[in-house]
Amino acid sequence: NAKFEQSSEPFAREYFVYNLTEKPTLSPSYQDTTKPKIQSYKIINNREIHLEFSEEILQPENVTIFQDSTDVELHVIASSFGGNSMKMLVEKQDTLSYVLNFPKMEDLKGNFYENYKLKFSGRTIVDSIAPVILNSIPQTGSIIEDQLPIITIEYSEIILAENFLSKLWEVESGKEIEISILKANSDVIQLQPKEKLRNLSSYKLELKSFDLNKNNTKSEILFIVIVRD
């Protein structure tokens, strides 16, 4: 009848023109179910082990190392975790096969392995290289605007608290400022003066660090405190 009665007709047909030059907007999504793993590892010497993970993981707990053929544990003295990497300081290794075990290795998306194991051969080479400062905050010659600064020193290897010595001096007066160690037993050491530093004054931080083989390094960091009103 050439017309559409909306109240009585069951359906209607109409035409439209589709623009074939337009591209549909797609937003693909997927769930990452790939479990993390140890991408690479390096036995630096008879004390140090470095691990690299395939992705950033949560900080692991209760990581252990045992001789492969026995239940004799190779004790982990200290470790330093960096998200996708980990350094471990252990007892002296022998030329044996060892198994490193993570009770749980979990990434940031919740994918995880339970009892992840890595088998490796021990090394007996002794570390003869002194620790090296890779970075520091502040760096020598810096101006800082904090009278209670947190001083951060990054080393090339893990430094235990008992193997780290530091002194902070006010240059103009020669006064020694007591320091608290906020973080140690890691490759990153953090310090903080126990009292406020004087404004418009220069300071010298003396550092001496040892590794487990008594290789040592000495260094100084000079900085100025300028707090503007």
Side-chain angles (χ1 to χ4, degrees):
N1 59 2
K3 64 179 179 178
F4 171 58
E5 299 290 345
Q6 188 172 359
S7 61
S8 60
E9 299 289 343
F11 64 89
R13 182 174 66 181
E14 61 182 9
Y15 296 93
F16 67 95
V17 178
Y18 180 74
N19 187 353
L20 295 177
T21 62
E22 293 183 359
K23 295 182 179 180
T25 302
L26 302 177
S27 55
S29 62
Y30 66 94
Q31 184 177 3
D32 180 7
T33 58
T34 304
K35 296 179 181 181
K37 62 181 180 179
I38 294 176
Q39 190 76 36
S40 62
Y41 69 93
K42 188 172 184 179
I43 313 302
I44 306 297
N45 50 56
N46 67 339
R47 293 281 199 175
E48 295 177 80
I49 301 172
H50 291 187
L51 307 174
E52 294 287 338
F53 304 106
S54 58
E55 58 182 300
E56 190 171 352
I57 67 170
L58 301 178
Q59 183 161 359
E61 297 180 353
N62 303 319
V63 179
T64 55
I65 303 174
F66 286 88
Q67 292 181 14
D68 187 24
S69 57
T70 69
D71 290 330
V72 177
E73 183 174 3
L74 182 70
H75 292 283
V76 178
I77 299 169
S79 63
S80 179
F81 175 69
N84 58 2
S85 64
M86 187 174 181
K87 294 179 180 178
M88 305 178 73
L89 191 65
V90 301
E91 291 181 317
K92 290 182 180 180
Q93 302 169 51
D94 204 342
T95 53
L96 300 170
S97 179
Y98 294 94
V99 177
L100 186 151
N101 181 63
F102 284 74
K104 188 175 185 179
M105 184 186 292
E106 183 175 3
D107 67 14
L108 304 185
K109 305 176 188 70
N111 304 309
F112 64 91
Y113 274 110
E114 289 186 339
N115 294 319
Y116 184 95
K117 298 182 185 299
L118 172 71
K119 189 174 180 178
F120 67 93
S121 297
R123 295 187 70 185
T124 56
I125 185 171
V126 176
D127 180 16
S128 60
I129 301 174
V132 176
I133 293 180
L134 303 178
N135 191 26
S136 69
I137 301 174
Q139 294 185 342
T140 193
S142 297
I143 295 174
I144 64 173
E145 299 180 354
D146 190 347
Q147 291 178 276
L148 279 174
I150 294 177
I151 301 169
T152 302
I153 304 107
E154 181 184 358
Y155 281 94
S156 57
E157 56 185 288
I158 293 175
I159 304 296
L160 300 180
E162 60 264 31
N163 293 336
F164 179 78
L165 302 174
S166 62
K167 288 186 177 182
L168 180 62
W169 304 90
E170 187 179 85
V171 174
E172 289 81 4
S173 65
K175 176 185 176 182
E176 182 178 357
I177 310 297
E178 290 189 40
I179 305 175
S180 297
I181 298 179
L182 304 182
K183 181 180 180 181
N185 301 329
S186 171
D187 58 348
V188 175
I189 307 291
Q190 289 188 325
L191 313 169
Q192 188 173 39
K194 291 185 177 181
E195 62 182 85
K196 277 189 174 183
L197 304 182
R198 284 204 312 158
N199 195 17
L200 305 177
S201 296
S202 304
Y203 291 88
K204 178 172 70 173
L205 178 64
E206 297 177 347
L207 304 171
K208 187 174 183 180
S209 55
F210 303 82
D211 60 24
L212 290 181
N213 290 305
K214 302 304 178 185
N215 304 306
N216 70 86
T217 185
K218 296 180 181 180
S219 57
E220 293 182 351
I221 298 174
L222 297 168
F223 60 91
I224 302 173
V225 177
I226 300 179
V227 178
R228 297 174 175 84
D229 295 333

